[in-house]
Amino acid sequence: MNRAIQRTQILNGHLLSSSPSQSSSLSQKPCLNYNPPELTESYEFDLGEMRKLLDGHNLEDRDWLFGLMLQSRLFNPRERGGKVFVSPDYNQSMEQQREMTMKRIQYLAERGVFTGWLTSRGIESELRMLAFIDVLAIFDHSLSVKIGVQFFLWGGAIEFFGTKSHHDKWLRDTENYVINGCFAMSELGHGSNVRGIETVTTYDTKREEFVISTPCESAQKYWIGGAANHTTHTVVFSQLNINGRNQGVHAFIAQIRDAGNLCPNIRIADCGHKIGLNGVDNGRIWFDNVRIPRENLLNSVADVTPDGKYMSAIKDPDQRFTAFLAPLTSGRVTIASTAVYQSKIGLAIAIRYSLTRRAFSVTPNGPEVLLLDYPSHQRRLLPLLAKTYAMSFAANYLKMIYVKRTPESNKTIHVISSAFKAVLTWHNMRTLQECREACGGQGLKTENRVGHLKAEYDVQSTFEGDNNVLMQQVSKALLAQYIAARKRNKPFQGFGLEHMNRPCPVIPSQLTSSVLRSSQFQTNAFCLRERDLLNRFAAEVSQHQSKGESKENAFLLSYQLADDLGRAFSDRSIFQTFIEAEATVSDFPLKNVLGLLRSMYALICMEEEVAFLRYGYLSTNNAAAVRKEVTKLCSELRPHALGLVSSLGIPDAFLSPIAFNWVDVNSWSSVKN
């Protein structure tokens, strides 16, 4: 009751201070001014060292590319509130946005940004390329996607599926944009289910040519990035029919334009305007018995002899099909990483705004309170910031295992990239929405970026694999690992499941603050959840099979446990990357704030993920203790908020006006100028 009275008094005081009778006193008060948060906020750790930890690699290369974009009018610099900001002009038409994307690519190509992307080998070259994609995505999703299609999908398909003759013929011209390529896998009737695509390719032994055809409307290639306007060639994924026998999905090179004109027997239509990503010219392609040379089959996995004999060293059709999905792994790696950087942008803008924007007072006629000094506002943003830190470490780990890949590690990379791509893109959508709301009406303005980024990045949840499908693939892989280990009666090895070989963790009946913040307790909680869900999932699938269900149908019937398990695997894997990153730090102030962030990540996962209560890993009392500890961590992270967003590696020019002097930006003088 006392609290209700207090709240009523505060609200009454606010209303009275706004009434006409108080106008004279109000007129004596100074207007609101923007005060940079740097004047009042302090840094208790080294921002540069934190940025090194977060970006992980190629900091100088990143800064060089940021600077390169700031030098050109092509990147739409605007002066707002005494600072220069760059971002695409989304008021342009779809056609204008597409042309600007190509002009920016040409500018970057002329300055050597893409040098070595396909013709140099080695870990350093690949890391530099991945760093550049991160930076380009910070400016514009369309730009990074268009470049990603050229190098990771079209170029990656030639690199992975092709042999030396293909590499020699196509890669350098691709790197120099003599050839502009696209990746024709998705169809109107088949997206995630690549195995079911309907495009058909046959072989003509007399002319030693393949013939590609679109047999029905649902087989038209759909959402093909670059196809509508700019690309000259495409990698076509098609069923290969040899002598009446379907050999499954294979990849072919086909030319679709010559000197700007469509090639014979090619039809292309525009996919049209989208909710975002309008700088990419997505198109639809029909192949009307298009003939290509026999050599245009990308033949690292399988080949067809001049007389029409099919040959492959991989006899198992399932393994052969898996090999054809390799380029999608690089796509998932870049999607996961760029999603994290968009979350960083949203949080940097929303938190900087909340450190200067005030609302309401807690005492009659008292000063208004900074948004981030409200516990509720801290609760909205700081757990998301901790998650973003954790996911930065996860994305860095994913990039490192990708650039160090071996044939033996490909399966692990597939599983981890599928899990991280899903979780990190879901997190990005949730984060941008919360940041948009936390900025109030200012979050609606396109120039303030946050709201528009939601539309631009929404597509990440479904392209390069629908997130829900990817998570089910993760659970299926874990189940296969479980069955294999039990069948051989050998320890678990791979996917981080080695914890299954140890005794089952026990959660204390009472959780104190020190226990909740212990990395050992946090590790045990994540491992217990994953372990139990994997056991439950295996048991439920087995139970369905014992009742006569097929293996495939048993899995489908157990989809709820599959979803829970996929999330448990992802959360535990992300947490492990945080532990490993934290272990590399010796500086105490840095280690201290990382410990707070790690505890926040672990505990907010436990609070938000219903599985911890559903399956009894936490009692209701322990769940309440977790919730209380999250609130305490918010108050302890609050003094570090500015330092944490200033360490994210996003230059001021790539944020937005409300992250800085939002009063000057909206002043009458700015309207006149």
Side-chain angles (χ1 to χ4, degrees):
M1 179 63 71
N2 290 338
R3 187 178 179 187
I5 293 171
Q6 183 185 24
R7 288 168 64 98
T8 302
Q9 290 173 339
I10 293 170
L11 183 60
N12 189 48
H14 171 69
L15 293 172
L16 286 175
S17 69
S18 303
S19 66
S21 62
Q22 300 292 320
S23 61
S24 59
S25 63
L26 273 178
S27 64
Q28 296 168 9
K29 293 183 178 180
C31 289
L32 287 173
N33 288 311
Y34 169 82
N35 292 307
E38 288 82 359
L39 296 178
T40 54
E41 304 289 321
S42 60
Y43 302 135
E44 297 183 20
F45 58 89
D46 189 314
L47 304 188
E49 290 301 311
M50 184 68 93
R51 186 200 166 188
K52 286 181 186 177
L53 197 63
L54 284 173
D55 276 342
H57 60 95
N58 297 87
L59 271 69
E60 290 184 3
D61 289 324
R62 293 171 191 265
D63 289 342
W64 173 78
L65 184 52
F66 280 129
L68 194 65
M69 289 191 281
L70 287 170
Q71 292 171 18
S72 173
R73 302 295 301 175
L74 287 171
F75 294 85
N76 195 34
R78 315 173 309 290
E79 192 277 326
R80 304 284 282 128
K83 294 180 77 73
V84 173
F85 298 94
V86 290
S87 67
D89 181 0
Y90 294 113
N91 290 316
Q92 290 182 324
S93 69
M94 180 179 74
E95 292 77 12
Q96 289 172 322
Q97 289 185 54
R98 291 175 176 182
E99 290 310 308
M100 282 303 300
T101 300
M102 284 306 299
K103 287 179 180 179
R104 289 168 183 143
I105 289 173
Q106 183 179 3
Y107 169 84
L108 297 170
E110 289 171 352
R111 283 150 186 82
V113 171
F114 310 123
T115 300
W117 279 35
L118 292 172
T119 56
S120 294
R121 296 289 183 270
I123 291 173
E124 290 305 316
S125 294
E126 289 202 68
L127 284 175
R128 183 173 181 267
M129 178 167 55
L130 292 171
F132 280 177
I133 285 291
D134 289 340
V135 169
L136 294 167
I138 287 169
F139 172 74
D140 179 33
H141 196 202
S142 289
L143 182 62
S144 66
V145 166
K146 189 92 166 165
I147 292 167
V149 169
Q150 174 81 350
F151 290 96
F152 290 98
L153 294 182
W154 155 264
I158 293 171
E159 185 175 4
F160 287 115
F161 300 156
T163 50
K164 187 176 184 302
S165 62
H166 299 110
H167 300 164
D168 293 343
K169 182 175 181 179
W170 303 100
L171 291 184
R172 187 168 299 279
D173 281 350
T174 296
E175 185 174 286
N176 295 329
Y177 274 92
V178 175
I179 289 171
N180 204 324
C182 61
F183 188 83
M185 178 179 276
S186 296
E187 297 179 353
L188 177 62
H190 291 87
S192 294
N193 181 17
V194 178
R195 195 190 294 263
I197 62 175
E198 297 173 284
T199 302
V200 175
T201 298
T202 57
Y203 182 67
D204 183 340
T205 54
K206 292 182 179 179
R207 296 173 58 174
E208 296 187 12
E209 293 176 333
F210 289 106
V211 183
I212 306 172
S213 63
T214 302
C216 53
E217 289 297 348
S218 59
Q220 63 180 272
K221 294 298 181 180
Y222 213 97
W223 291 124
I224 311 307
N229 298 127
H230 298 132
T231 51
T232 58
H233 294 72
T234 186
V235 170
V236 188
F237 287 82
S238 168
Q239 305 289 349
L240 175 58
N241 193 312
I242 300 292
N243 297 322
R245 182 178 179 182
N246 184 17
Q247 298 291 348
V249 176
H250 290 66
F252 306 84
I253 294 174
Q255 185 169 1
I256 59 176
R257 284 188 179 87
D258 185 11
N261 300 313
L262 290 181
C263 292
N265 301 334
I266 295 285
R267 288 179 286 146
I268 292 180
D270 202 308
C271 286
H273 195 274
K274 308 179 288 287
I275 63 171
L277 212 61
N278 282 301
V280 177
D281 50 317
N282 295 92
R284 303 146 60 192
I285 310 175
W286 289 258
F287 299 89
D288 300 328
N289 295 320
V290 174
R291 289 182 171 270
I292 61 172
R294 184 181 68 87
E295 294 76 18
N296 282 21
L297 167 65
L298 294 173
N299 61 350
S300 67
V301 174
D303 205 352
V304 175
T305 62
D307 61 354
K309 182 180 179 182
Y310 182 81
M311 302 186 305
S312 177
I314 305 175
K315 301 304 179 186
D316 186 336
D318 290 336
Q319 292 181 7
R320 205 157 59 224
F321 173 72
T322 300
F324 280 112
L325 299 182
L328 294 182
T329 300
S330 64
R332 286 193 288 268
V333 171
T334 58
I335 289 168
S337 184
T338 56
V340 175
Y341 277 95
Q342 307 319 303
S343 297
K344 291 178 181 179
I345 294 171
L347 287 163
I349 293 169
I351 288 176
R352 289 191 67 94
Y353 185 59
S354 71
L355 287 168
T356 61
R357 180 68 156 83
R358 297 175 180 272
F360 306 107
S361 58
V362 294
T363 58
N365 298 317
E368 290 185 293
V369 179
L370 285 175
L371 294 181
L372 201 61
D373 284 338
Y374 283 102
S376 59
H377 210 76
Q378 295 170 15
R379 243 321 180 126
R380 294 172 69 179
L381 297 177
L382 298 184
L384 293 174
L385 181 61
K387 280 192 165 186
T388 300
Y389 264 70
M391 292 178 188
S392 290
F393 301 138
N396 288 339
Y397 170 77
L398 176 58
K399 286 187 279 190
M400 290 309 298
I401 63 172
Y402 174 74
V403 299
K404 296 178 180 179
R405 62 193 176 277
T406 64
E408 294 74 28
S409 68
N410 281 340
K411 186 175 181 181
T412 297
I413 295 170
H414 168 72
V415 172
I416 293 175
S417 66
S418 296
F420 286 6
K421 184 265 183 183
V423 172
L424 273 56
T425 56
W426 275 329
H427 167 74
N428 184 37
M429 283 295 97
R430 180 191 168 191
T431 299
L432 291 174
Q433 177 64 29
E434 195 64 62
C435 290
R436 206 296 297 157
E437 293 180 27
C439 292
Q442 291 293 333
L444 290 176
K445 294 185 71 174
T446 304
E447 74 167 2
N448 289 329
R449 299 207 71 189
V450 183
H452 197 85
L453 285 176
K454 277 181 55 201
E456 287 292 309
Y457 280 85
D458 196 313
V459 66
Q460 286 193 334
S461 301
T462 50
F463 74 7
E464 308 292 344
D466 177 280
N467 283 355
N468 289 283
V469 175
L470 291 178
M471 291 298 270
Q472 296 226 348
Q473 288 183 11
V474 170
S475 296
K476 189 176 287 188
L478 296 176
L479 178 62
Q481 195 83 348
Y482 179 96
I483 293 171
R486 291 286 186 254
K487 190 174 183 179
R488 297 192 307 264
N489 196 27
K490 289 186 176 181
F492 285 88
Q493 188 173 5
F495 301 153
L497 293 177
E498 289 79 7
H499 68 86
M500 299 279 291
N501 302 321
R502 298 190 287 271
C504 184
V506 177
I507 302 297
S509 57
Q510 288 189 319
L511 296 176
T512 63
S513 180
S514 60
V515 170
L516 287 168
R517 297 190 187 200
S518 158
S519 60
Q520 187 59 61
F521 158 73
Q522 294 159 5
T523 300
N524 287 345
F526 282 121
C527 290
L528 172 63
R529 171 187 170 210
E530 183 181 24
R531 177 194 198 105
D532 179 63
L533 286 170
L534 182 50
N535 284 324
R536 287 175 184 264
F537 182 50
E540 185 169 300
V541 169
S542 178
Q543 184 180 30
H544 285 307
Q545 287 182 283
S546 69
K547 294 179 180 179
E549 298 287 352
S550 66
K551 179 181 176 182
E552 291 75 16
N553 208 38
F555 181 86
L556 293 177
L557 292 170
S558 304
Y559 73 94
Q560 289 177 314
L561 275 170
D563 289 345
D564 290 342
L565 174 59
R567 177 68 73 166
F569 168 82
S570 304
D571 290 347
R572 191 267 306 156
S573 300
I574 292 168
F575 179 76
Q576 186 61 42
T577 67
F578 203 133
I579 292 286
E580 292 169 2
E582 192 180 357
T584 66
V585 175
S586 56
D587 178 72
F588 177 76
L590 201 60
K591 204 170 187 71
N592 178 59
V593 75
L594 284 170
L596 295 176
L597 290 165
R598 186 241 310 141
S599 290
M600 176 66 90
Y601 171 75
L603 297 183
I604 199 65
C605 284
M606 293 179 207
E607 181 186 311
E608 293 178 345
E609 180 49 60
V610 70
F612 281 98
L613 273 173
R614 177 185 291 145
Y615 301 106
Y617 313 135
L618 292 177
S619 66
T620 53
N621 286 339
N622 279 346
V626 167
R627 186 174 178 82
K628 183 178 179 182
E629 199 65 27
V630 168
T631 301
K632 287 174 62 178
L633 284 165
C634 283
S635 65
E636 292 176 41
L637 283 169
R638 163 62 184 87
H640 302 292
L642 181 61
L644 290 171
V645 297
S646 299
S647 305
L648 295 177
I650 315 292
D652 292 356
F654 292 81
L655 295 177
S656 74
I658 58 162
F660 301 97
N661 196 337
W662 46 270
V663 176
D664 274 4
V665 165
N666 289 284
S667 68
W668 180 247
S669 61
S670 72
V671 174
K672 291 192 295 182
N673 292 333

